[in-house]
Amino acid sequence: MYGDLEAKSKVGKANMPGHVRAALNYNYLRKVNSDNYSMKIVDGMKVVVCKLKQNPLGFTSVAYPTDELRLPAWFCELPFDDAEMERTLVDEKIENLLGVLDWNLRSDTNTTTTFDDLFSFG
């Protein structure tokens, strides 16, 4: 899938799933940076999608293969949007898992309240 779409990505941005676009962005950046050592993302590979801040290429995300043991320097220098990644990767996952339990996580995990409740002798 990724290999077939690489040629089409040069014509224009097609409507495609976000992880596919992010994988194409990785392969493009790998080629632009003359990186012959990092593995190319191909169809069927598992990837991690990272959100990006505004950049000259207009990329909103980039992926990397989960099997890659060493991230290339050019990848580490990308303008990652840490806040957006935290929101999508952590906050939304926790909300999806625990939201159905109807817990108030902020008050239920307040450390001062928990400490006071555990050590009150009254």
Side-chain angles (χ1 to χ4, degrees), residues 22-122:
L24 289 171
N25 292 344
Y26 174 87
N27 286 342
Y28 175 79
L29 289 169
R30 185 180 159 273
K31 189 174 185 179
V32 166
N33 286 287
S34 303
D35 183 355
N36 296 321
Y37 300 103
S38 300
M39 62 176 62
K40 183 177 180 178
I41 298 176
V42 296
D43 190 22
M45 280 185 144
K46 293 187 185 236
V47 297
V48 174
V49 177
C50 301
K51 304 290 185 178
L52 297 174
K53 294 179 183 175
Q54 279 191 331
N55 57 74
L57 293 172
F59 291 169
T60 57
S61 63
V62 64
Y64 69 88
T66 57
D67 294 335
E68 181 67 64
L69 299 177
R70 182 196 60 84
L71 292 174
W74 61 262
F75 184 88
C76 296
E77 294 169 0
L78 292 172
F80 295 109
D81 190 345
D82 299 330
E84 182 64 15
M85 284 194 293
E86 180 181 339
R87 188 185 68 72
T88 57
L89 294 174
V90 178
D91 297 346
E92 286 182 8
K93 301 290 190 245
I94 290 173
E95 180 58 35
N96 287 342
L97 292 170
L98 301 178
V100 296
L101 299 175
D102 207 22
W103 286 351
N104 184 347
L105 293 177
R106 294 217 188 273
S107 67
D108 290 346
T109 58
N110 187 342
T111 55
T112 57
T113 310
T114 304
F115 183 82
D116 292 341
D117 290 346
L118 287 173
F119 296 102
S120 63
F121 300 104

